[in-house]
Amino acid sequence: MRALVTGGAGFIGSTLVDRLISDGHEVAVVDDLSSGRNRNPQAPLHVMDVRDPALGSLAEQWRPEVVCHLAAQISVRKSVADPVHDARLNVEGTVNVLEAARRAGTRKVVFASSVAVYGRPAVIPVPGDAPTDPRSPYAASKLSGETYLSAYSGLYGLEYTTLVLSNVYGPRQSPDGEAGVVAIFTDALLSGRPTVLYGDGSQTRDYIFVEDVVDGFARACGPDGNGRRFNLGTGLQTTDRELHSLVAAAAGAPDEPAFEPPRLGDLPAMAVDPAPALETLGWRPRHDLPQGLKATVEWARDRS
């Protein structure tokens, strides 16, 4: 299979590129390198914004059978501060990717969406067919991407699968910017810096290891799951306080976070139901949280 991965120099994207190459596929990468870096010399890197009209010409030359679209503006807070910029990257960029795929005769697009599309869910873990309720420009832009996928499928027969990602963590995740809390805790605890929990530490999230996520992408590149949305998560809730204790244990550091007032807009709880991904894609998470955190901390320690 020949694949094109947008955002393929980032945390999740570069891990996916490695997986696809190890599976014997040909891979090309599109990334503007705003937050990632070239990691795999076996995959030609095209430094390009996904809104660039030249993406269409690149796709026509490469002729990918599958496009995995991960490039995005991923910060909820930045989307609130500048919704126009968020829409330009996440809506206009996605449409440009779909146009490039259509022109190149691509069979399928696998799209990275977010649990943010569910808003404040009535049921946890959130089923894949739960109503959407975007409460930020970022969530709205991701849901817009899903809508465009459906439109292109109906108009042009372009297959697609949407993967809704819960809180992804693992090696290569940066602790800077809009980083995941695992990367932030890991970096601080290994460096002996203080850590902070917001609220009373009872907020929950569903943490999924990056290698499990890319396994979901690899499976979705096949013929199954066309036209559907699948949650990639564990279905398990972990509190912020529990997470801190687990990361501290993996890092061999004191489990003594400071507490600050809760942040406005933070969801009190989140977890997603992955059962449909097992039924249709044969996917399941294979790393429990202690395993994944051990690998993450070891990677961070080796690079420090």
Side-chain angles (χ1 to χ4, degrees), residues 19-159:
R19 166 62 187 270
L20 293 175
I21 289 174
S22 72
D23 287 347
H25 303 303
E26 295 181 79
V27 183
V29 170
V30 167
D31 200 295
D32 66 1
L33 298 185
S34 59
S35 60
R37 63 185 180 86
N38 190 16
R39 298 181 186 271
N40 197 317
Q42 298 180 65
L45 170 65
H46 303 270
V47 180
M48 181 185 299
D49 189 304
V50 289
R51 296 169 293 176
D52 194 325
L55 180 63
S57 299
L58 170 62
E60 286 186 291
Q61 294 170 9
W62 182 249
R63 293 285 175 183
E65 180 183 341
V66 174
V67 173
C68 294
H69 180 35
L70 291 90
Q73 191 294 115
I74 62 171
S75 168
V76 172
R77 289 179 175 79
K78 286 181 180 178
S79 80
V80 173
D82 192 349
V84 173
H85 176 70
D86 180 84
R88 284 174 176 160
L89 280 174
N90 290 357
V91 180
E92 181 184 342
T94 295
V95 174
N96 197 42
V97 168
L98 292 175
E99 266 296 285
R102 178 185 71 82
R103 288 172 52 184
T106 295
R107 173 179 60 82
K108 188 174 192 178
V109 174
V110 183
F111 177 63
S113 189
S114 166
V115 294
V117 301
Y118 295 129
R120 290 180 175 266
V123 177
I124 295 177
V126 185
D129 60 356
T132 54
D133 182 23
R135 297 191 175 211
S136 67
Y138 168 71
S141 69
K142 281 297 183 182
L143 189 57
S144 173
E146 295 188 35
T147 303
Y148 270 101
L149 286 163
S150 178
Y152 267 70
S153 178
L155 284 170
Y156 309 116
L158 180 64
E159 296 180 9

Side-chain angles (χ1 to χ4, degrees), residues 210-246:
V210 65
E211 290 185 10
D212 289 328
V213 168
V214 303
D215 182 57
F217 273 90
R219 291 171 183 270
C221 288
D224 297 327
N226 184 35
R228 294 188 57 189
R229 173 200 291 144
F230 297 100
N231 293 327
L232 297 189
T234 67
L236 303 174
Q237 297 182 68
T238 301
T239 69
D240 290 350
R241 189 66 188 88
E242 290 168 339
L243 179 71
H244 190 280
S245 296
L246 289 168

Side-chain angles (χ1 to χ4, degrees), residues 163-249:
L163 300 178
V164 174
L165 311 185
S166 60
N167 285 60
V168 187
Y169 72 96
R172 300 183 183 176
Q173 188 174 34
S174 170
D176 303 320
E178 185 81 358
V181 66
V182 170
I184 293 171
F185 283 169
T186 299
D187 185 63
L189 289 168
L190 288 177
S191 303
R193 299 196 310 275
T195 50
V196 175
L197 295 179
Y198 295 95
D200 62 3
S202 64
Q203 176 179 276
T204 69
R205 292 293 182 266
D206 181 347
Y207 295 98
I208 183 73
F209 191 56
V210 65
E211 290 185 10
D212 289 328
V213 168
V214 303
D215 182 57
F217 273 90
R219 291 171 183 270
C221 288
D224 297 327
N226 184 35
R228 294 188 57 189
R229 173 200 291 144
F230 297 100
N231 293 327
L232 297 189
T234 67
L236 303 174
Q237 297 182 68
T238 301
T239 69
D240 290 350
R241 189 66 188 88
E242 290 168 339
L243 179 71
H244 190 280
S245 296
L246 289 168
V247 178

